Amino acid sequence: MGTEITIDDQGIEQIPLRHYTEKAYLDYSMYVILDRALPHIGDGLKPVQRRIVYAMSELGLKAGAKYKKSARTVGDVIGKFHPHGDSAAYEAMVLMAQPFSYRYPLIDGQGNWGSPDDPKSFAAMRYTEAKLTRYADVLLSELGQGTVNWGPNFDGTLEEPLTLPARVPNLLLNGTTGIAVGMATDIPPHNLNEVVNACIHMLEKPKATTRDLCEYILAPDFPTSAEIISPREEIVEAYETGRGSIKMRAVWSKESGDIVISALPHQTSGSKILEQIAQQMQAKKLPMVQDLRDESDHENPTRLVIVPRSNRVNCDDVMNHLFATTDLERNYRINLNVIGIDGKPGVKSLQKIISEWLNYRMVTVRRRLQYRLDKVEERLHRLEGLLIAFLNLDEVIKIIRTEDEPKKVLMKRFKLSELQTDYILDTKLRQLARLEEMKIKEEQLELEKEREELQKTLKSAARLKTLVRKELKAVADEFGDERRSPLVSREEAKAFSEEELMTTEPITVVLSEKGWIRAAKGHDIDALTLNYKSGDGYKSAAKGKSNQNAYLIDSTGRAYAVAGHTLPSARGQGEPITGRLNAPSGATFEGVVMGQDEDKVLLSTDAGYGFVGKLSDLYTKNKSGKVAISVPQGAKVLSPRMVNDYETDLIASISNDGKMLVFPLRDLPELAKGKGNKIMQIPTAKLKAREEWMAWTMVIPDGANLVVYAGKRHTTIKHKELEHYIGERGRRGNKLPRGLQKVDRLEIEV
């Protein structure tokens, strides 16, 4: 796109505002990307970090020096190289000094440099002191040896290195994060030994893939002992594409029944985690936790204690919930966006990063060797001239004493270069002793040997690789350490559901004849003796737990589910269930059951049909319910009955005229829904005329007795006595004893 520049009568250039703003913003974007936010692949540093490290080395603040006030360093950095705010420069300096932020810190700080709990709690720069660490020398040791390019500082009065000659890929070791314009970078830290081994493998096998390198670099290695739980394939994919994420999880153990957290994910605050857990406790979302304590101290930098409410609490489940809902488990973005050797930003794979860095290192080492070779040859050249002067010392002294321009005469007489002549003329008289000649010859021999070695190395790619490998190993031997972040395979964390968070106390749900419902605490409740509204009475009851659903069946055969913990207390008379559910007009509720999803239930109609189903088949979120059992015309639904053991239970069915039939429950089919099979023979015509119907069903566990109530009379039919009523499924049954044929209620006696 051409820029339309015009010049007016006064010689002032004019440019369209659109073009000017576009160019200005693009220039600003490139500045932020290249000179502020992204690290260079060579030394892994952003400009501000590089300038801090260089300024400290210029101040003589190497590892063996005394500490100096941080304000001194910051003053030098912003005054000489980095014209930005002092707080920004100091914060960058603090980050490089924090052992919990940097895997291999570059700055050794004295004073308050923040804590893992609050990294921003560092003291002002006028209070803290700093110097470089020994590891920083890995970046600086070759700086004055012609290894890197230099450029002018912001005002052109000084020179500064454009990169540092790192002996290891610091980019991967310490990682970095940064936000530029339109792009960002998130490079996690890694283990020095692993990275060096990968580099050596790449040197030996230049065609190695990222997957090959991942045999050495297993995963990032953060300055914390928290676990890396990402699957290996995800990690390899992130390294191959340059983009992905890594998941870290806190380390915990049980001590005397308490949960003790001993390591937190990278840059995670213990106090914030305790706050997150406390908020859940206040919101009653963690009823199984009784107390929290922070027992962190100098000996145990991280020690968070969670006290369960009782020994019965499953600590694994509690921690799984906390991993899913707090910072005890965190995701870290991987975005390997970096400025390459070509000076352009880009997202690179692990293989590309190591390959480019090795190229950078080979060039750096070659430049260092060439610089040394030039120095050696220059020294040999001078020594050669000095030796000529020694061999002709009297003549040299005579020329210097008698000639007006001894330099030209010496150059002509002994065929010396200008450099050699200047060196001879600058030599002090005391160096003209006879002993010096021997020293010169010894030095010449040593330098010639060194020159030969340097030339051999520079001419041989194999020797150069061997040197780079040797230097990499030397750094690993000096600074390498064990992996801190272990790689562990864990199941995905899952938060508690609302039902799981409810206290699982036993309850008895009671349904009245008029459809009022309530829940009493405990299982020793006599539902018949509860207080009912005038004209109302007991209909059905079910025993279960507060975290289970109560399932109701209406007279049309529809099933409904209501959460047990939401039901009103039995201290009152409850509430009409029609306020919660949308049952068909005129429908009445015939019974209630509770239990586990896999528990079985008998469903039947007074037409003499029924089947066995699972409680889970009755579940629905729909307030209008779902069809559970088909009701023949003229028939009604009977109260559902819970099954104890499908294989051994008996079913007792009683008609309205007092006939009872007993047979094994397993003779009935298991269905999800439907009409079922015939339980008792009821003539269709008599059913329609409501002359005869199946009035009751009851499931009898193996060995249990059946108690039959009829008016004021009742009798217990022993389990053995049930044989009199046993017959094939679908028969009419035998008459109950006289006076017990108008059955009001059935009970099981275990």
Side-chain angles (χ1 to χ4, degrees):
M1 180 185 68
T3 306
E4 304 157 18
I5 300 175
T6 58
I7 301 173
D8 64 11
D9 299 338
Q10 296 173 338
I12 298 170
E13 285 186 359
Q14 293 184 334
I15 184 171
L17 183 62
R18 180 169 64 87
H19 296 160
Y20 172 77
T21 51
E22 184 178 339
K23 183 178 183 303
Y25 190 70
L26 282 172
D27 288 347
Y28 166 72
S29 302
M30 288 309 293
Y31 166 75
V32 172
I33 291 165
L34 298 176
D35 208 42
R36 190 187 297 179
L38 299 191
H40 190 277
I41 200 164
D43 56 14
L45 299 176
K46 300 178 190 178
V48 64
Q49 296 168 328
R50 187 179 302 117
R51 286 162 178 164
I52 290 167
V53 171
Y54 175 63
M56 290 182 77
S57 73
E58 287 296 285
L59 282 168
L61 294 176
K62 292 289 181 77
K66 288 183 179 178
Y67 293 94
K68 272 189 184 171
K69 285 286 184 189
S70 302
R72 175 79 187 275
T73 299
V74 172
D76 258 37
V77 170
I78 65 175
K80 291 181 178 178
F81 309 112
H82 199 70
H84 293 265
D86 58 351
S87 60
Y90 184 48
E91 280 192 30
M93 186 177 171
V94 167
L95 195 69
M96 291 191 286
Q98 291 177 334
F100 48 85
S101 295
Y102 258 44
R103 184 66 177 80
Y104 301 95
L106 295 168
I107 293 172
D108 178 4
Q110 190 167 265
N112 176 12
W113 290 81
S115 66
D117 207 44
D118 186 6
K120 298 276 186 182
S121 63
F122 51 85
M125 59 185 167
R126 62 182 177 274
Y127 299 119
T128 60
E129 296 177 335
K131 62 180 180 178
L132 292 168
T133 59
R134 283 193 313 115
Y135 172 76
D137 207 42
V138 172
L139 306 179
L140 292 164
S141 61
E142 300 171 3
L143 190 58
Q145 300 174 27
T147 47
V148 293
N149 296 327
W150 294 67
N153 69 337
F154 63 90
D155 61 1
T157 57
L158 293 167
E159 291 275 303
E160 63 173 322
L162 301 181
T163 56
L164 297 180
R167 284 188 280 145
V168 284
N170 184 61
L171 175 75
L172 290 173
L173 299 179
N174 277 319
T176 191
T177 60
I179 299 172
V181 177
M183 61 176 65
T185 184
D186 290 280
I187 302 171
H190 292 79
N191 183 274
L192 178 57
N193 286 333
E194 292 181 8
V195 171
V196 165
N197 288 337
C199 289
I200 290 171
H201 181 75
M202 191 83 181
L203 270 175
E204 292 167 353
K205 296 182 179 175
K207 291 186 179 177
T209 63
T210 296
R211 198 166 280 273
D212 295 336
L213 296 175
C214 285
E215 294 297 318
Y216 300 93
I217 299 177
L218 304 176
D221 187 24
F222 295 88
T224 169
S225 302
E227 300 170 344
I228 292 174
I229 62 166
S230 297
R232 175 167 170 75
E233 205 51 45
E234 271 184 31
I235 297 170
V236 173
E237 189 181 341
Y239 283 140
E240 284 179 330
T241 60
R243 284 198 173 96
S245 66
I246 198 104
K247 197 174 280 186
M248 287 197 91
R249 183 179 282 187
V251 174
W252 67 281
S253 58
K254 277 179 79 173
E255 283 184 25
S256 307
D258 295 344
I259 296 167
V260 177
I261 298 163
S262 55
L264 298 175
H266 184 47
Q267 292 178 331
T268 301
S269 162
S271 58
K272 186 184 175 186
I273 284 170
L274 289 176
E275 193 179 316
Q276 290 172 335
I277 299 172
Q279 283 174 354
Q280 291 193 38
M281 289 170 71
Q282 286 170 1
K284 298 192 175 175
K285 290 187 175 178
L286 268 179
M288 60 287 291
V289 173
Q290 183 177 323
D291 193 20
L292 293 173
R293 291 196 305 273
D294 187 354
E295 295 182 357
S296 306
D297 55 25
H298 187 70
E299 283 184 23
N300 302 293
T302 302
R303 186 178 166 86
L304 309 180
V305 182
I306 300 171
V307 183
R309 197 164 287 281
S310 74
N311 292 332
R312 294 190 302 276
V313 171
N314 188 321
C315 294
D316 290 301
D317 289 346
V318 172
M319 288 306 294
N320 255 337
H321 170 77
L322 293 177
F323 288 140
T325 57
T326 70
D327 284 347
L328 285 171
E329 182 177 299
R330 280 185 67 181
N331 251 358
Y332 298 88
R333 194 165 55 243
I334 293 176
N335 182 13
L336 306 181
N337 194 1
V338 61
I339 298 169
I341 296 177
D342 57 3
K344 295 177 183 175
V347 177
K348 302 179 189 292
S349 68
L350 180 65
Q351 187 269 349
K352 189 74 175 164
I353 286 174
I354 290 179
S355 175
E356 275 199 38
W357 181 83
L358 283 171
N359 287 340
Y360 173 83
R361 181 64 188 153
M362 297 287 274
V363 169
T364 303
V365 171
R366 187 177 286 280
R367 286 177 66 165
R368 186 187 83 207
L369 296 177
Q370 188 61 54
Y371 178 83
R372 178 61 188 161
L373 181 60
D374 293 344
K375 289 287 181 188
V376 166
E377 287 181 334
E378 183 188 318
R379 179 68 180 158
L380 281 168
H381 184 59
R382 285 180 174 181
L383 290 175
E384 192 183 328
L386 196 58
L387 199 58
I388 290 169
F390 264 108
L391 295 172
N392 303 279
L393 191 56
D394 293 339
E395 193 177 348
V396 169
I397 292 170
K398 186 180 176 184
I399 290 169
I400 293 169
R401 288 186 67 186
T402 57
E403 294 294 335
D404 292 335
E405 291 186 9
K407 183 176 177 179
K408 288 181 180 177
V409 176
L410 285 170
M411 285 174 71
K412 187 176 181 183
R413 168 71 184 83
F414 298 110
K415 293 184 177 136
L416 298 170
S417 69
E418 190 173 345
L419 186 72
Q420 287 172 320
T421 310
D422 284 339
Y423 188 59
I424 291 166
L425 292 170
D426 290 340
T427 303
K428 293 176 183 177
L429 281 170
R430 67 163 171 252
Q431 289 178 293
L432 300 178
R434 186 76 192 156
L435 191 64
E436 288 297 321
E437 186 183 340
M438 299 302 294
K439 285 184 180 177
I440 291 168
K441 286 183 175 176
E442 282 175 16
E443 190 180 347
Q444 270 184 321
L445 280 171
E446 285 177 16
L447 289 174
E448 279 167 1
K449 277 184 188 175
E450 189 180 348
R451 177 172 63 183
E452 190 182 341
E453 283 298 313
L454 289 168
Q455 286 171 338
K456 276 184 187 175
T457 307
L458 283 166
K459 285 176 185 174
S460 166
R463 286 175 74 101
L464 200 63
K465 277 186 180 181
T466 303
L467 179 62
V468 170
R469 178 164 60 246
K470 185 180 170 185
E471 289 176 352
L472 279 167
K473 278 191 172 178
V475 176
D477 290 342
E478 188 176 358
F479 298 104
D481 55 5
E482 293 296 314
R483 165 174 279 278
R484 287 197 207 168
S485 305
L487 275 72
V488 184
S489 177
R490 300 282 187 205
E491 288 183 10
E492 192 171 342
K494 186 183 174 188
F496 287 129
S497 63
E498 192 178 336
E499 288 79 15
E500 288 172 315
L501 287 171
M502 293 301 117
T503 51
T504 56
E505 55 188 5
I507 58 169
T508 302
V509 175
V510 181
L511 178 69
S512 78
E513 290 176 350
K514 295 288 175 78
W516 284 60
I517 196 166
R518 51 189 149 169
K521 287 184 180 180
H523 285 169
D524 54 349
I525 306 297
D526 185 356
L528 291 167
T529 61
L530 292 176
N531 186 24
Y532 293 89
K533 283 183 174 291
S534 176
D536 200 359
Y538 168 79
K539 176 77 173 181
S540 175
K543 293 175 181 179
K545 293 181 179 178
S546 55
N547 64 339
Q548 293 174 338
N549 289 311
Y551 297 98
L552 296 113
I553 303 287
D554 74 7
S555 54
T556 67
R558 298 184 77 80
Y560 307 83
V562 181
H565 69 270
T566 65
L567 295 173
S569 167
R571 288 174 186 161
Q573 292 170 333
E575 64 180 48
I577 194 65
T578 50
R580 291 172 177 250
L581 305 173
N582 301 328
S585 178
T588 56
F589 290 93
E590 299 301 324
V592 61
V593 285
M594 291 183 81
Q596 302 288 340
D597 287 350
E598 294 301 307
D599 288 351
K600 293 182 171 64
V601 61
L602 169 67
L603 301 178
S604 57
T605 62
D606 66 2
Y609 286 87
F611 62 89
V612 174
K614 287 181 184 174
L615 278 186
S616 56
D617 294 330
L618 304 182
Y619 178 75
T620 175
K621 289 182 179 178
N622 195 338
K623 288 186 177 182
S624 299
K626 65 188 279 194
V627 174
I629 183 167
S630 304
V631 184
Q633 192 175 358
K636 292 179 182 177
V637 172
L638 297 180
S639 182
R641 303 292 185 186
M642 290 303 296
V643 173
N644 180 58
D645 187 328
Y646 179 62
E647 293 299 322
T648 61
D649 286 355
L650 298 174
I651 174 175
S653 57
I654 301 174
S655 64
N656 64 314
D657 60 356
K659 288 178 182 171
M660 183 165 82
L661 174 67
V662 177
F663 61 86
L665 184 65
R666 62 176 178 271
D667 289 355
L668 283 179
E670 282 193 71
L671 301 173
K673 65 176 182 178
K675 179 181 175 183
N677 285 13
K678 190 179 283 188
I679 297 173
M680 191 177 214
Q681 189 177 357
I682 304 292
T684 306
K686 290 192 175 184
L687 176 70
K688 284 182 179 177
R690 297 307 289 176
E691 292 176 4
E692 192 177 328
W693 62 89
M694 184 170 72
W696 296 92
T697 57
M698 181 58 78
V699 174
I700 307 170
D702 188 27
N705 304 324
L706 180 66
V707 184
V708 181
Y709 291 84
K712 292 182 180 179
R713 297 182 63 185
H714 74 275
T715 187
T716 299
I717 302 173
K718 302 285 186 186
H719 197 79
K720 288 180 180 178
E721 296 169 2
L722 290 172
E723 288 181 4
H724 176 66
Y725 302 95
I726 286 179
E728 290 182 13
R729 178 181 63 79
R731 295 300 177 94
R732 300 290 295 272
N734 293 329
K735 280 273 186 182
L736 285 166
R738 187 173 292 179
L740 292 166
Q741 293 170 0
K742 297 289 182 185
V743 178
D744 293 327
R745 184 160 54 92
L746 297 174
E747 279 185 8
I748 295 298
E749 184 185 82
V750 179

